[in-house]
Amino acid sequence: MSSILPAGFLLFLITIGCNFSSDHSEHSPSTSATGRMTSAGAYLDTVDYKWQEYSNSRYHFSIQYPDNWRIFNNSGEKGSVINVYNYTSGERLKLPLKLHEDPEASYLAFFPEGFGVDRPVGDRIKLFEAGTDVTVSFDVDQDASVAYQLNDGNVWGYLLKPLISPPGWSDEGFIFIQIGMRAFNIKCFDASGKEKTLVHCNTMGGGDRLVRYGEVKRDQRQQVDRILGSLHFFRDKEKRPIDDLIRVEEPQADSQVSSTVKVRGRARGMWFFEGEFPVVLKGEDNKPLAQASARAKGNWMMEDWVTFEADLIFHVSRSQPATLIFKKSNASGMPEHDRSYTVPLFLVARQSQ
């Protein structure tokens, strides 16, 4: 029986099936080029990346990314694709990056005009069922947005569709996110659970199932979470850079904290509402661990800088990377007025007495 998988994707499956095995000894789970494992087995990023901001006026969005990532933009062509991708895989990647790329690569692909009916094949669930709280500043269409899973349930990718099309986007527009994987492999099983060759895999009406195996790169997941958190859609009115709205003085990026996060900094008066704004601490699984209101230490009813402070108390049973999110107060509730600033941290579990 011949496969009815798309020809390009079938070639991709056969290629990775030959090139990737379930045991890559050169990828040690205890070390990486950008971090190390603690004695508790949690990942600690040891590189101090510089972050910069990209803005696309045609499709009305801006995003922040670290200096080991790159931007590719062909938004002047038919079938526009804009990529934000990790450059450490750049030599192997053929741009633009779409839906079926090197599994070791981490990237975001913006498809403002859609991309037909082609989608990644494999296990997927609705976004709200994924158990991970994707932090974005726009409302997501929960019915059309999905999370892609490995065999162990870990999420390796997302397809996010805005609930309301941003300016310049068609109703078919969406964003695809892939988090790079180590020791990647993919297998096909029929309805009875028997393994089949990829070339005879029939997932479109044949009852077969593709299953992906691998280990998600935790350092790049942390970067992807922060990049996604910075994504902002705006209208034609000029948008102010985030560093002209809020400046966090404490804690510093990648600080190690235990039990209490002391927050201090300055923000423009417009960042507050009724003299405060929310601060949320999210753990490695992107679920909230603590939240508090940062309060103005002066007159916030002006456009000038205002000092703010807050304390967040948390408890973790194991050490882990985390993200501290400073959210602009948005009394209107309109997504286009949402802004946020994130600071990566490392939470140290307190030893039991």
Side-chain angles (χ1 to χ4, degrees):
M1 179 184 70
S2 62
S3 171
I4 62 172
L5 288 172
F9 182 58
L10 178 60
L11 178 61
F12 168 79
L13 290 180
I14 296 173
T15 301
I16 62 176
C18 295
N19 294 340
F20 291 86
S21 69
S22 58
D23 181 16
H24 280 197
S25 58
E26 66 269 27
H27 293 301
S28 169
S30 62
T31 61
S32 77
T34 59
R36 62 179 175 83
M37 300 292 286
T38 68
S39 59
Y43 185 86
L44 173 60
D45 197 338
T46 59
V47 177
D48 184 17
Y49 296 108
K50 294 181 180 179
W51 287 72
Q52 47 203 327
E53 185 167 284
Y54 165 77
S55 181
N56 188 299
S57 58
R58 179 184 177 94
Y59 293 115
H60 293 77
F61 72 88
S62 67
I63 197 165
Q64 295 177 14
Y65 61 99
D67 58 8
N68 65 326
W69 288 59
R70 296 292 186 271
I71 300 289
F72 176 84
N73 177 14
N74 74 340
S75 59
E77 303 177 13
K78 183 178 180 181
S80 297
V81 182
I82 301 98
N83 292 141
V84 186
Y85 64 98
N86 183 273
Y87 188 64
T88 56
S89 301
E91 295 78 5
R92 301 194 303 270
L93 301 178
K94 182 179 179 180
L95 302 172
L97 305 173
K98 296 182 180 178
L99 300 177
H100 310 299
E101 306 295 347
D102 183 342
E104 291 200 10
S106 294
Y107 68 95
L108 287 73
F110 293 79
F111 298 94
E113 300 167 17
F115 193 65
V117 296
D118 189 19
R119 296 291 184 270
V121 180
D123 289 347
R124 64 187 183 192
I125 57 177
K126 295 291 186 182
L127 187 64
F128 65 87
E129 298 173 338
T132 57
D133 184 10
V134 180
T135 302
V136 291
S137 65
F138 58 94
D139 289 335
V140 173
D141 185 336
Q142 294 288 348
D143 291 328
S145 300
V146 298
Y148 295 94
Q149 294 180 306
L150 295 172
N151 68 303
D152 58 6
N154 282 323
V155 173
W156 65 267
Y158 299 98
L159 189 149
L160 303 181
K161 182 174 175 57
L163 183 62
I164 300 175
S165 298
W169 288 53
S170 75
D171 291 339
E172 289 73 39
F174 66 91
I175 307 161
F176 176 68
I177 301 101
Q178 175 174 296
I179 305 166
M181 294 160 278
R182 298 183 179 92
F184 180 79
N185 197 7
I186 191 164
K187 297 180 181 180
C188 179
F189 300 91
D190 64 18
S192 68
K194 183 179 179 180
E195 186 174 354
K196 300 178 62 174
T197 61
L198 294 177
V199 72
H200 292 107
C201 196
N202 184 349
T203 61
M204 301 175 66
D208 295 341
R209 175 187 174 215
L210 278 174
V211 180
R212 298 174 187 250
Y213 299 80
E215 176 192 357
V216 173
K217 297 179 181 179
R218 283 183 279 182
D219 57 323
Q220 294 190 17
R221 176 187 287 280
Q222 189 179 11
Q223 288 187 328
V224 167
D225 287 344
R226 184 174 177 184
I227 292 169
L228 267 181
S230 74
L231 173 59
H232 173 73
F233 291 104
F234 57 88
R235 300 196 179 275
D236 291 329
K237 185 178 178 181
E238 183 68 24
K239 184 179 69 68
R240 298 175 73 162
I242 194 71
D243 62 0
D244 191 38
L245 294 174
I246 182 169
R247 297 176 183 175
V248 177
E249 299 167 0
E250 186 182 357
Q252 294 291 309
D254 299 315
S255 296
Q256 297 189 36
V257 294
S258 176
S259 71
T260 302
V261 182
K262 292 187 175 296
V263 171
R264 183 171 58 88
R266 296 180 298 153
R268 299 284 187 182
M270 65 185 71
W271 195 268
F272 301 83
F273 179 72
E274 299 296 342
E276 60 185 33
F277 63 85
V279 183
V280 181
L281 178 67
K282 291 189 175 183
E284 185 178 21
D285 58 3
N286 214 27
K287 294 181 179 179
L289 294 172
Q291 52 189 359
S293 293
R295 301 187 180 278
K297 306 299 289 184
N299 180 14
W300 62 275
M301 298 182 67
M302 57 181 182
E303 194 172 322
D304 207 354
W305 293 101
V306 184
T307 300
F308 63 80
E309 292 180 355
D311 288 339
L312 289 84
I313 300 174
F314 67 92
H315 171 75
V316 290
S317 58
R318 61 180 179 82
S319 300
Q320 60 185 276
T323 304
L324 190 62
I325 306 171
F326 298 77
K327 297 184 177 182
K328 179 179 180 293
S329 285
N330 182 7
S332 70
M334 299 174 66
E336 61 265 31
H337 295 158
D338 285 338
R339 300 295 300 271
S340 64
Y341 180 78
T342 61
V343 175
L345 299 175
F346 189 78
L347 309 183
V348 180
R350 299 188 67 178
Q351 298 295 327
S352 57
Q353 301 296 327

